[in-house]
Structure formats: structure tokens, C-alpha cells
Amino acid sequence: MPEKAKQFSGFILDRAVHGEKFWRVVVLTREHGAQTCLVRIAGKNKTTCVPDLFDEAEILLDKPKAGAEDAPRFAKEYRVVRRNSGISGNYAALVCASKLASVLAKNAFPSDAADAVFALCANAFRAFGEKPNAEAAYLKALWTLARETGYPVKEDWFENSAFDDRESVAAILKTPLDALECDPRDVAHHTRRLEAWLEREHHFVLA
């Protein structure tokens, strides 16, 4: 039975111009993880909402063409639910949100963790746009992503860290962003260690 048009909500992780008429957009969905679709660029006599990075949007996908079921599907409708515009006004937040979006777009995660990954993305993008300590928000998000998708981040990475590092990481993870007082250099140190562990031990794509 041919597949019908499909509607879903998601967060925009990546976008690029595709040819002369479309945006190629990567969307993180609650049901299916990261999906790629094509959104038409408006012509001179048309108005449409331009997909922006970190948008939460509702997208209605056209049914796939016969023989091209694995190709990116076309979006019949694109509607913004929430625009996380606060991210673009803060350089540190923009860098951290972009790094997290890249991780979510380039790595595959277990299907049974899709709901947790979607919730993590929603919470992280909101934190980047509204809270201080963007670097700590990224570290928290990366830790949560590893934990929720089944990697032994506590049992291996954390427990095998130096004592001072464990104390510092625990304080960052337990303290709300609004109340957190920490040296950004310490946060960057822990983030680099965690990223290196994910790349080395679990083949994460981070760049």
C-alpha cells in the first residue's frame, strides 16, 4: 500500500540551499530521529516561512515518489511552532547550539531513545536561548545524550576521571544554569574530555 503524506513536529538541525528552488533541511523528530526533507524557497509572488536553525516546526511531507522512497521527501507545508531566536544573539550560545545540532544530525541513536533525544534537544535549545552558561548547558546536554542513548558515561568516563575532575563535573551537572558559578576554562576542559571519549570509544561524529 503506497505511503501517505506524513506530518510531524521537529527541530531544525541543519539547512542548506539545494539547487535553485529548495532548502535541504535536517529535522530532528520525536518519532523517527533525524530526517532530511526539501522545503521550497518562496518565489517573488509567494510568501513562506524560511526554515531557520533551531526552529521548532510542524512539517507536512508529501508522499514519496514511486521508486524514490529513500530520497528526501518534499515539504508541502512548513509552520514555525517556536523560533529559538535568543540563541543567535549570544555568540557562545550559538556556537554551543550549533555543536549540539551537528551531533544530533550526524549520529544515529537507538529508536527506543528517540523520545528522550527529542526532549533533550528541546530543553537544550531553550536553555541556550534563555539561560546563562551556554558552555555548561552543552556539557550537560552531551552527558544526558550519552546516558539516554545507552553509553556508559557515568560508569566509564566519569568514574575513570581524576578525583578533582569528578568533583567539578558533578557540581556542574547538579547545579541549575542560573545558579552555576564556574570557570569557563574548566567547563571547556571537561567538554573536550567527554567529546574525546565519545569519539574514541563510541565513534561519535562531532565535526
Side-chain angles (χ1 to χ4, degrees):
M1 186 173 182
E3 190 174 348
K4 299 179 180 179
K6 179 170 60 176
Q7 185 167 3
F8 59 80
S9 297
F11 290 94
I12 306 303
L13 302 179
D14 191 24
R15 69 165 194 182
V17 174
H18 181 78
E20 297 181 354
K21 297 183 178 180
F22 295 95
W23 293 101
R24 186 182 182 93
V25 176
V26 180
V27 189
L28 181 71
T29 71
R30 185 186 298 275
E31 299 85 359
H32 307 290
Q35 301 284 301
T36 301
C37 66
L38 299 175
V39 179
R40 184 176 293 277
I41 296 173
K44 293 182 179 179
N45 300 320
K46 296 181 180 179
T47 58
T48 189
C49 188
V50 177
D52 202 3
L53 285 177
F54 321 125
D55 277 355
E56 181 180 0
E58 287 185 350
I59 301 174
L60 178 63
L61 293 183
D62 203 351
K63 58 186 178 181
K65 294 182 179 180
E69 288 79 4
D70 294 332
R73 291 169 66 170
F74 293 89
K76 298 179 68 174
E77 298 176 11
Y78 181 92
R79 185 179 73 84
V80 173
V81 175
R82 174 185 174 86
R83 181 148 277 173
N84 290 294
S85 54
I87 295 175
S88 61
N90 181 318
Y91 179 73
L94 179 60
V95 170
C96 291
S98 298
K99 288 201 299 180
L100 180 62
S102 179
V103 170
L104 295 174
K106 294 179 179 180
N107 293 277
F109 302 106
S111 57
D112 59 0
D115 191 70
V117 173
F118 185 88
L120 176 153
C121 181
N123 292 335
F125 282 175
R126 183 162 296 189
F128 291 137
E130 299 176 0
K131 302 288 185 179
N133 295 307
E135 296 87 351
Y138 174 68
L139 176 59
K140 287 171 180 275
L142 204 58
W143 165 278
T144 304
L145 178 64
R147 185 191 65 198
E148 294 292 343
T149 52
Y151 297 104
V153 63
K154 184 177 186 300
E155 299 82 358
D156 185 357
W157 177 76
F158 181 82
E159 293 297 339
N160 289 321
S161 297
F163 176 79
D164 288 347
D165 284 340
R166 293 202 304 271
E167 281 200 327
S168 179
V169 168
I172 293 169
L173 295 177
K174 292 177 181 178
T175 306
L177 294 171
D178 288 325
L180 185 60
E181 295 183 5
C182 58
D183 188 332
R185 291 173 297 182
D186 290 339
V187 179
H189 165 69
H190 300 314
T191 298
R192 287 193 299 268
R193 291 194 308 107
L194 179 53
E195 288 177 333
W197 178 79
L198 288 168
E199 284 186 307
R200 182 182 65 253
E201 301 295 334
H202 303 291
H203 310 293
F204 261 50
V205 179
L206 298 174

